[in-house]
Amino acid sequence: MKYRGKRLSGVILMAALPLAIGQAFAEEPKPQHKDIPSAEVRYQAGGSPLADVEMYQDINPKAPTMSKTEFDKARQIYFERCAGCHGVLRKGATGKALTPDKTLANGTDYLKVFIKYGSPAGMPNWGTSGELTDEEVDLMARYIQQTPPQPPEYGMKEMKATWKVLIPPEKRPTKKMNTYNIANIFSTTLRDSGEVALIDGDTKKIINIVKTGYAVHISRLSASGRYLFVIGRDAKVNMIDLWMEKPDNVAEIRVGLEARSVDTSKYKGYEDKYAIAGSYWPPQYVIMTGDTLEPLKIVSTRGQTVDTQEYHPEPRVASIVASHFKPEFVVNVKETGKTLMVDYSDITNLKSTEIGSARFLHDGGWDSSKRYFLVAANQSNKIAAIDAKDGKLAGLVEVGKIPHPGRGANFMHPKYGPVWATGHLGDDTIAVIGTDPEKHKQYAWKQVDTLKSQGGGSLFIKTHPKSNHLYVDNPLHPDPKVSQSVAVYDIKNLGAGFKVLPIGDWAGLTDDGAKRVVQPEYNKDGNEVWFSVWSAKNKESAVVVVDDKTLQLKTVIKDPRLITPTGHFNVYNTQHDIY
């Protein structure tokens, strides 16, 4: 039978069922995570848009009986809280597999104990924490014994049905029609309202609030800097023309049912020619025209994992960047642990080089030379360095627990030369990695230094070529004093430790919102750093601007339209990969 579910009300940023439920079966049930789940558990959350997608319920005679209504509700809970860790098909992603061949043998009562009480292996105590009622615990114990429902595929027909060219290229401006300093515009994600705020970095005024997909994950710029591309978790891509009198959407498309990544061609001769977007579901990427988003080529990423060589049915496309050395897109595939160097010089006869590193590839950024892409294999606790010039794995570096660099931070270390740094979700360290195999060969692709930060729960780290400071956020740390502030280091004196900036307090918000401080981002000139102060949808949020030279508050941007601001991207720095 087919059905369409409704999104659960009141679902907050929570994570999956057990990160390691298979391991937990051998342990005595003990209440865990009494206050707030650990940062890495919470991060896996981000409810999946697939909660609303029509799926087929396959009746398994060996599984406990479930009515359509019960199955419907359990499916909603799973996609809101569990799929991020265990995968759409429950085959296992960063968490263990929850397929009937593993769960049926344990039985409902056994599963209920661990769902309710949790375990030290990483499983939240969903029942005793009050997140799930006893009835819902029983529901989920029965659900994970059922045959996993599979969302529909999403191909060219479906994409073209959503493709809209709102303003054709021939009807767009032939020159810039506004007086904005486009290079210093910030694109700020308004997560829960399905919008981005375009903010003038010079005047600190909102230029426009642009309708986009839900929970925009990233903003990327075309090589020319004219077009801004954003992609929501619902896989909707919006193309915004910054030359318009009031910058707004000129094209849009939905490339799948859930997604995270988008970028455009940057190599000389191909500027603005192509765009690419990668999906979580279906596991695939699509190459589009750079001026209209017309879909041209869809490529599946299903295949074998890099380590055990086992087939994985849903290897999600994580970060994508455009090479500066060749007409190639660097496509990182999460579950298989492979980086694909996709040659877009001939779309008809598409060529791709496969580079294996470590599983669970996620986010990353270029080194200062823009030759090497450093990508976090988060659950493998490694950073892979991909050589975009030679098309090879340059190095694989062991780091701390669950690295999450965003794009990372490049700076010149007084001893180790050019380095790149990442913070971590799972511990309080910052890993500093050497990136110069020519002049500092002995340090290249090694963790040369470790800095102590305020704690875990870090999502972004940032510096700038014109700055002497290194900023690290901790928005997912359980202590509000940490999540509402940011640590800043003097690059010339890293041994002195960090100074704490009370960004949340500086925002001057009047209500009791979460005030999580997230994603430091420099302006074009590198003398200001912007921070989102992120509270709930029904609470006041803000953007705080800090003077990088003095580390003092410069201004606070408040507006009722700034609903759940999270990531923000300066046009010039994003266009030129400056971080």
Side-chain angles (χ1 to χ4, degrees), residues 105-357:
N106 292 287
T108 302
D109 290 340
Y110 202 64
L111 294 170
K112 283 167 62 176
V113 169
F114 291 98
I115 294 173
K116 181 172 181 175
Y117 291 99
S119 82
M123 176 177 173
N125 54 320
W126 291 108
T128 57
S129 68
E131 293 297 329
L132 295 179
T133 66
D134 284 346
E135 290 75 17
E136 289 171 332
V137 168
D138 175 77
L139 192 68
M140 297 311 296
R142 288 184 286 136
Y143 175 79
I144 60 175
Q145 297 176 71
Q146 309 292 322
T147 301
Q150 179 169 322
E153 296 297 317
Y154 197 95
M156 187 64 74
K157 177 182 178 181
E158 289 78 14
M159 289 186 196
K160 286 196 171 181
T162 68
W163 174 46
K164 298 178 182 178
V165 180
L166 306 173
I167 302 178
E170 64 272 16
K171 294 186 178 180
R172 296 173 195 165
T174 55
K175 62 180 181 179
K176 188 164 80 81
M177 300 300 291
N178 58 62
T179 59
Y180 301 119
N181 177 10
I182 287 179
N184 201 34
I185 288 176
F186 286 75
S187 173
T188 298
T189 297
L190 305 181
R191 186 186 185 280
D192 292 342
S193 66
E195 299 167 323
V196 295
L198 302 180
I199 305 177
D200 188 329
D202 293 347
T203 66
K204 313 299 188 290
K205 303 294 185 182
I206 294 176
I207 296 170
N208 196 15
I209 302 292
V210 182
K211 287 291 182 182
T212 61
Y214 169 72
V216 163
H217 197 65
I218 57 172
S219 297
R220 290 293 183 261
L221 271 297
S222 64
S224 66
R226 173 177 180 173
Y227 292 112
L228 173 71
F229 295 80
V230 301
I231 188 166
R233 289 195 175 205
D234 57 359
K236 185 178 180 181
V237 179
N238 289 81
M239 180 180 178
I240 299 167
D241 187 353
L242 299 177
W243 278 14
M244 294 170 63
E245 185 174 354
K246 177 181 283 189
D248 209 336
N249 287 313
V250 292
E252 63 181 44
I253 189 173
R254 194 174 181 193
V255 297
L257 299 176
E258 184 172 3
R260 297 292 189 279
S261 51
V262 68
D263 210 338
T264 67
S265 53
K266 300 273 173 54
Y267 190 67
K268 185 176 181 181
Y270 294 89
E271 298 93 337
D272 295 22
K273 185 173 183 179
Y274 295 117
I276 182 173
S279 300
Y280 269 25
W281 187 269
Q284 62 191 27
Y285 63 85
V286 57
I287 298 175
M288 303 163 281
T289 56
D291 59 352
T292 68
L293 298 181
E294 179 183 5
L296 303 174
K297 190 89 168 183
I298 302 172
V299 181
S300 172
T301 54
R302 292 179 170 101
Q304 273 63 33
T305 61
V306 71
D307 46 11
T308 61
Q309 298 291 298
E310 293 177 289
Y311 178 77
H312 200 292
E314 54 167 311
R316 299 172 287 182
V317 177
S319 52
I320 299 177
V321 294
S323 172
H324 299 269
F325 280 83
K326 298 177 183 179
E328 291 181 336
F329 292 121
V330 184
V331 179
N332 295 284
V333 186
K334 188 183 288 283
E335 278 72 30
T336 54
K338 296 176 180 179
T339 298
L340 308 178
M341 310 297 288
V342 180
D343 184 342
Y344 55 74
S345 62
D346 184 352
I347 298 297
T348 302
N349 303 290
L350 195 69
K351 298 177 183 178
S352 178
T353 299
E354 180 183 287
I355 303 171
S357 55

Side-chain angles (χ1 to χ4, degrees), residues 473-487:
D473 69 13
N474 300 91
L476 297 185
H477 195 281
D479 185 348
K481 290 183 180 179
V482 177
S483 65
Q484 295 179 8
S485 62
V486 67

